Amino acid sequence: MAYSSKKMQIVFASAECAPFVKTGGLGDVAGSLPAALVRAGAEVIVMVPKYATIKDEYKAQMEHFSDFYVSLGWRNEYCGLEKLEHDGVTYMFIDNERYFARDYPYGFFDDGERFAFFSKAITESLQHLPVGFECDILHCNDWQTALAPVFLREFYQGLPLYDRVKTVFSIHNVAFQGQFSDTVMEDILGVAHIPAAASQLRCDACSVNYMLGALRYADAITTVSPTYAAEIQTPEFGEGLDGVLRERSYALQGILNGIDVAGFDPATDKRIAANYTVEDRTGKAVCKAKLQEELGLEVRDDRPLMVMVTRLTRQKGMDLVMYALDRILAGGVQVAVLGTGDRDYEDGLRYFQHKYPGTMAARIEFDPALSQRMYAAADMFLMPSKFEPCGLSQIIAMRYGTLPIVRETGGLKDTVQPYNEFTGEGTGFSFSNFNGDEMGDAVFRAARLFWDNRDAWNQLITQAMSQDFSWTRSADKYLDLYFFMHPEIERPAAVVEAAAEPEVVAEPEVVAEPEPKAEVKPVEAEPAKAEPEVKAEVASEAEAEVKPAAKPAAKKTTTRKTTAKKATTTKAAASKTTAAKGTTTRKRTTAAAKKAAEAEAAPEVKAETPAVEAKPAAKAPAKTAAKKTITTAKKATAAKTTTRKRSTTTTKKTTTKAAATKAEAKPAAVKEEPKPEVKPEPTPKAAEVKAKTKAAPKAEAKPEPAKETPVSPAAPAEEKAPSKKTSVRKATAARKRR
């Protein structure tokens, strides 16, 4: 397949985006993920409505890029594109004051029309992007942009610019789907005359569902955690969309959110009372004391401080909190809650603050700066959600060394590892059922650890702060999805190299391991003096000489060949020195040449024999022959100890026995049999060599190196030389007669 050298070009559409506008987790994702994608080598344009609530400092930086009209049902609406570069990311703000010049992003009677316009403006804007930017991926988020894949397919399919566009739809909370009266089908959307679109958008007899349209039209569907991706395919969590999600489960995957680790860093955060790190957490104690003083709580470091920063809704587990709060506060745990929401929960928190002064603090307001101080100061962070797609609060809490107490659902289950008192593993505490008593038990499990085992508590904080929740990993997974849908585009080199690095490093390590081993053996062999050690170490030398590359496979091959053939030591020694010496030894033309070859091979007699013993691949007949020869060698040694002068008759017998043994052990090597047989050992040194090596056929073939060794007496060896020649002749004649 031919790869394109162009970068992956992504349009990321979201109804909110930090730092311009943010009401929840979607704003954090849209503010962090595009920047991570840019760092990974992609080109990204983020499209956001130009709300009136955006700060003037950002509006002043915007430049008018383009304007056009968008058809929406029977109307044509103005659309302007305002461009802004911020932290390496390009932002395009959709400008239409009739729809977006309001005090708050959502919650208006015409939200269906407002965000239908936003979706149509996104698809129309793909024709008005900067020169050289051709959209490969249109990534839409939640119901506010859910109609963009529908419009793209129904109104723009077949246009060359749009043919390459693949759509991704991310579910941040399946509970908010964008359901409206079916009157918008023709009046606003303009798809009532398209049967396929009308039927796939309709969720009942008189309603349409924007998110349902995206689930059926998008090329890929993602959600914000693996557990949540599985949960929304069940009736309990699917909010009526579980059926279509099961149908399209092949296109659905969960990718865990991250956080801006630079923005949420206790070591550099200027919003907290004192900075601290995972190694030095003294600043956290300062933050706790300051917050206790600020909220009117007792300033005590011996009481655990548990906080909540949340919307006060049932989804966030406020029913459980109201049930168990009396027990928690009476048990000695300080509690502080920040947030707004349902009136009943707000009044309940005020009641407990009045009942437990100095122990309970309720701040019914929205204060981002205070929330940051609470993350940094608390010991525990309570998050007992009924369902939680991902959740960022528990991740931020761990980043600041505040241990989360969560219910095992969605992203809470994926991000918080429950504490194991036996192994010490974990990053927080959890409970499984949506039950107030279970939540209270989890709170007191944490509190008891705080009171009773401060070392384990501190270790748990270290583990929580050491977790990696950066956007880098998440961005890589999104890129995997993008490049899967566009296989013709080559992935950026930086990403490919990062993935290949472990393999490149591993290869030389495997190759290098045998080399030092081969070098160490001969070095160790030099100082060794004891005879048993000399045998083993010289064997390593011999192997290293035969195969300089020191490959184990080559050694095994050499050993098997030696064992199978039972070649004489003279032959083995000659092959390791030079071919000329081997030829001289085999032919035995002169006694002088024979002595020279055998003298050089003397250390190698010991080298080859251990190698043969170490390989149990020898055949059974060879083992029997070796045993018989060893017995013969022992008898010969005893006779030599009594007297060094042996008669010609004894020599003949020894030679005859050796010949018989050779004939049995080596039926295949007839030509080489006379070589060891002609070599009986009349000297004590040669007999010792035979006994030590435990390979008599080879030892008998190597008697004469002992003659030239300084340790052996030279005079007796010279006297017996003539008798050897006579013995050779007689032994040869006797064998021929057989």
Side-chain angles (χ1 to χ4, degrees), residues 517-533:
K517 292 182 180 178
E519 294 172 4
V520 169
K521 287 184 178 179
V523 171
E524 291 180 354
E526 292 177 5
K529 296 292 179 79
E531 290 182 357
E533 296 177 1

Side-chain angles (χ1 to χ4, degrees), residues 689-705:
V689 172
K690 289 192 291 181
K692 290 176 181 177
T693 58
K694 296 185 179 181
K698 295 182 180 180
E700 289 179 74
K702 288 295 187 179
E704 299 196 333

